[in-house]
Every structure is written in C-alpha cells, then in structure tokens.
Amino acid sequence: MTHADPAPLAALSSRSLKGRLRVPGDKSISHRALMLGALAAGRTRIRGLLEAEDVVNTARAVTALGAPARKDGDVWEVLGRGVGGLAQPDGPIDFGNSGTGTRLMMGVIAPHDITVSMVGDASLSKRPMGRVLGPLKQMGLEVEGDRDRLPLTIRGTSRLVPITYALPVPSAQLKSAILLAGLGAAGETTVIEREATRDHTERMLRHFGAEVTTVQRDGATHITITGDAELEGREVTVPGDPSSAAFLVAAALIVPGSDITIQGVLVNPTRTGFYTTLQEMGGDVTLLDQREEGGEPVADIRVRCAELSGGAVPAERAPSMIDEYPMLAVVAAFARGATRMDGLAELKVKESDRLAATAAGLAANGVRAEAAGDTLVVHGEGRVTGGGLVATHLDHRIAMSFLVMGLASAAPVTVDDTAMIATSFPEFRSLMEQIGAQFGGGGA
C-alpha cells in the first residue's frame, strides 16, 4: 500500500452513541489461522477472518508459498501443504504494513528448504527484525547480508535444530515465530517467558493437532513444542478483535449519554488489560454472556458513559494491552487526575514511535502529558479542548485514537492521514457512524 495521497479527517463533537454491533475478526488470530492452515495437511476453513490489508497480505503470502488461500462465500479456505511442504515463491513477498505477518512468517519459512525475499512499506521497513531473526538463526535460518530490516532475504532449512530460548522481553511475536519454526525442528523447542504474553499461537497449535506443553517452573512459563509435527486442516471461527473494539468502547465511555453493546468479542485474559484498566478508572464496562468458541473465550461487551478517575497502570499489564495505550491515553485525558502508564518500551518500535506520537497528539489538543523513558503520564481535567492537528506518522492506531478524542472534545480534532486505517480496521468509520459518531471532510 502506498500513502502518496494522505486522507485527513476531522472528528466532530458527537451526540450520544447508541446501538448493538459487531467488530471485525481478531487480527492476531486471523494471521495465525492462515499460517497454520498452510502448514496443516488438507483443507482449513476460516469463518470471521479479518479482511484488512495486513491479513490479506498474509493470505497472499501463504498462497505465494504454495498453500492457496481463497474466499468462498463468507468462508476463507486454505489448502495446506503440511509442515515442511511449502514451496519456493516466484518473487518477493510483500507484507505491506504488517509486523505480525512478517515476524511470524519468518518462523513459518524457517523449516523449509526455500529462499524468500520479504519486502514491506516504508513504515514496516523501518521496524527492527533482529529480535526475531536472532533465535531463528540459532536454529539454522540464514539471512543474506545479515540485515535486520526489510527488505531482506532469508533461507530456511529442513535440518532446523531445536533450541531453548528465554525471551529477553515479553513479545508474543517473538515467542510465536520460535514455536512455528519448532514445528519443523527435530526434537523439542522451548520458549521461556517471565511475563505472560498473548497465547493465541499455543491455543491454535493445539487446535491443529500440535503437541504443546506449558508448565510453570522457577517463576517462569516454559512453552514446549514437539517438532516433526503433523498438523491437520481444521475449522476455525475468529472472534471479534478486542483491539478494534477498544476504539468503540473508549468512544462510548467519553461521549455523554452513550450506551453500546459489542457482540462476540475475544476476551482472552492475555488481551484484556485495557478493559481491566477502564474498570479500575470507574468505567462502566460489563462483560455479558461469557462463553468459549474455537478454544478462545468470548463475550458481549456493554459500555455506558461514566465519570473516570486517573490512576496507575502497572508495567506488568503492558503485554495484555500494548496496542491500546494510545487509546487509553486519550481516555485518560477525559478522566480527572493523573494517569501514569509504565512499561511502554515496546511502543517505541511499533508502526511509529507510538509513545512520542501519542504525547505529541495530546499536546496538540491542549492536554498536558509527559513521556519520559518507558513512562507516559497524562494529566486529565475531565474535558479536552481539542482543535489540534495530529501527525499520525502512518500509524493506524494513532489515527483512530485521536479521531475518538474528537468525538468528545470541545473543538474538532483532525488527523493528517487516515489511509492506513485500512491495514487493520477498514470498517472503523462506518461502524462509528452506525452508532452516531460524526466526522467532517474526506478520509477513512
């Protein structure tokens, strides 16, 4: 995707938001369903797949590797090749803006005797890949020119060796890449994590028939996958994405008189830190009809506008809400008192330096905030002046977070580009308007 023609958009102060709705399928689970479908023998059918650019690029990637992914009605089908069965692609594989797709696919490719050139857009090409490439190289993956950013060319091997690897930082992408590579290594590959990260890969590996064990030892979690695995095609239902739902939830909390219900949202405990934090701040957020679908916990989320108070968000919660901090910072601006968020180092290596971009966006709209080290402090006054122009730095979550701000601020908030929102949540504007949000100008 190119961003040659920015699409600015202003969010206007809106009347109360009302309604029941669904958000698109979870992005993390969508990526993994396509990849494991490609590594399984036979046909995998996926319902509720998120059809955003990041995920569609993963579908194109597995197709290029010899495992065709196609939409049939409202279901996506992947014709898998089995672990070790992927084929040499005809040319470079373009991952667009997707860090998840890129990093996890490195693990998928690793146990195959193929050479793959990986490319992406300008934003993705700035993001470091060395953290994932390091352990994969220990297992036998080769990287041409020893590069750590796209574009890069990697060579897999069917003689991959298993490793035991302690994560230096909590990262589900890093954990997942190693476990996916371990599917094709002879023996047991173990990842050790001190802090819990999202566990969708482990859940879905088991769903497809892999042997995965998780044990607690010496204050850490040891996740072990048995290699030379044989996966079988499966039926997968993708629940609603809690990171997409976060924008709607936040909007309903800060726009007076709002009352919305979002149906069928993933509430995996490794992904619900944002909702826990909102409840601690006084947010009227209730999980209804909690149930399990396809190995993942799901619920309907009801949200009503409420008066919010600032507070402290502990660093250990960061892995369960890393994508939601820009949105939380905006919510905190409407709370009374200071909100302190610790442990935000990972925000600096997202689609943009999200920590700096969030602080700058707040300042542009009259909100006092300090970003220092890995901490962000937002001084909420219960209301936001607004009226500012926010530089998104091609980051979809910065764009959506500050558009939500504009729905409740005194003056409209404008973001400089919305084109990149399609990478993760193409329905953002239409769903917001469905519940009563108002925007001005062209854009998403």
Side-chain angles (χ1 to χ4, degrees):
M1 178 180 179
T2 61
H3 297 287
D5 300 311
L9 185 66
L12 314 177
S13 183
S14 298
R15 61 186 184 276
S16 59
L17 307 178
K18 305 277 188 181
R20 295 175 65 86
L21 70 166
R22 289 184 178 272
V23 293
D26 181 72
K27 186 162 72 159
S28 296
I29 293 175
S30 294
H31 280 301
R32 287 159 173 81
L34 289 166
M35 292 181 195
L36 286 175
L39 292 172
R43 193 178 306 274
T44 289
R45 290 169 53 82
I46 308 166
R47 297 182 183 277
L49 187 86
L50 174 66
E51 294 182 17
E53 287 180 14
D54 282 4
V55 176
V56 171
N57 281 330
T58 292
R60 290 177 181 142
V62 298
T63 300
L65 292 166
R70 299 191 183 94
K71 190 176 182 183
D72 179 16
D74 61 352
V75 177
W76 279 76
E77 291 191 344
V78 184
L79 193 58
R81 297 286 296 258
V83 176
L86 297 182
Q88 177 76 39
D90 292 335
I93 297 180
D94 188 348
F95 289 88
N97 188 246
S98 179
T100 300
T102 305
R103 296 188 176 110
L104 268 60
M105 193 61 77
M106 290 172 176
V108 169
I109 292 166
H112 295 82
D113 288 319
I114 57 177
T115 299
V116 179
S117 294
M118 310 177 80
V119 299
D121 69 8
S123 171
L124 183 61
S125 298
K126 294 176 183 175
R127 299 174 68 180
M129 301 291 162
R131 187 188 289 167
V132 172
L133 291 171
L136 294 181
K137 287 195 283 190
Q138 289 180 33
M139 298 176 78
L141 184 75
E142 295 181 16
V143 182
E144 278 190 10
D146 210 28
R147 291 175 55 85
D148 73 341
R149 282 171 171 75
L150 270 53
L152 54 78
T153 299
I154 60 176
R155 275 192 297 274
T157 174
S158 58
R159 296 177 298 281
L160 219 57
V161 297
I163 60 170
T164 296
Y165 188 81
L167 298 183
V169 295
S171 168
Q173 292 180 358
L174 175 52
K175 171 177 69 173
S176 299
I178 297 168
L179 293 175
L180 289 167
L183 283 169
E188 294 185 338
T189 295
T190 300
V191 177
I192 303 169
E193 58 178 15
R194 292 278 168 192
E195 297 179 50
T197 63
R198 54 184 66 176
D199 62 353
H200 307 309
T201 300
E202 298 97 299
R203 288 173 181 260
M204 194 168 288
L205 280 165
R206 293 187 185 104
H207 184 62
F208 277 85
E211 187 178 332
V212 182
T213 59
T214 302
V215 298
Q216 301 295 322
R217 188 183 308 138
D218 302 325
T221 304
H222 295 240
I223 305 116
T224 299
I225 188 160
T226 302
D228 291 331
E230 294 184 7
L231 309 183
E232 294 184 8
R234 290 284 192 262
E235 298 277 334
V236 178
T237 298
V238 181
D241 191 329
S243 296
S244 296
F247 300 106
L248 297 151
V249 168
L253 273 182
I254 63 176
V255 175
S258 296
D259 183 351
I260 68 169
T261 299
I262 309 170
Q263 298 169 285
V265 181
L266 175 74
V267 290
N268 182 306
T270 66
R271 297 285 299 282
T272 53
F274 178 70
Y275 300 100
T276 300
T277 302
L278 294 179
Q279 289 168 334
E280 289 174 354
M281 295 172 72
D284 189 345
V285 180
T286 308
L287 304 184
L288 306 171
D289 189 19
Q290 297 190 51
R291 56 204 186 269
E292 188 166 292
E293 293 178 3
E296 292 278 2
V298 174
D300 301 338
I301 303 177
R302 185 179 185 188
V303 194
R304 288 173 280 195
C305 182
E307 288 194 13
L308 305 171
S309 302
V313 187
E316 56 266 26
R317 194 173 291 168
S320 70
M321 57 180 296
I322 196 64
D323 287 331
E324 282 74 68
Y325 280 107
M327 190 65 265
L328 179 63
V330 167
V331 171
F334 290 90
R336 295 195 177 277
T339 298
R340 178 186 175 98
M341 298 161 241
D342 289 312
L344 309 188
E346 195 72 8
L347 287 189
K348 299 177 182 180
V349 293
K350 288 290 185 177
E351 282 82 339
S352 65
D353 179 342
R354 276 193 186 147
L355 187 53
T358 299
L362 293 169
N365 288 283
V367 179
R368 191 159 59 92
E370 296 106 32
D374 300 338
T375 297
L376 176 66
V377 180
V378 179
H379 300 275
E381 297 181 357
R383 62 183 297 279
V384 171
T385 304
L389 173 65
V390 176
T392 57
H393 304 284
L394 302 181
D395 191 317
H396 53 123
R397 297 199 190 279
I398 296 296
M400 290 184 281
S401 296
F402 283 96
L403 287 172
V404 169
M405 170 183 272
L407 300 179
S409 57
V413 173
T414 304
V415 300
D416 65 0
D417 194 5
T418 54
M420 84 299 285
I421 289 175
T423 63
S424 70
F425 193 0
E427 301 90 345
F428 169 77
R429 181 174 178 176
S430 62
L431 286 176
M432 281 290 189
E433 290 178 333
Q434 181 181 322
I435 58 173
Q438 298 182 69
F439 301 97

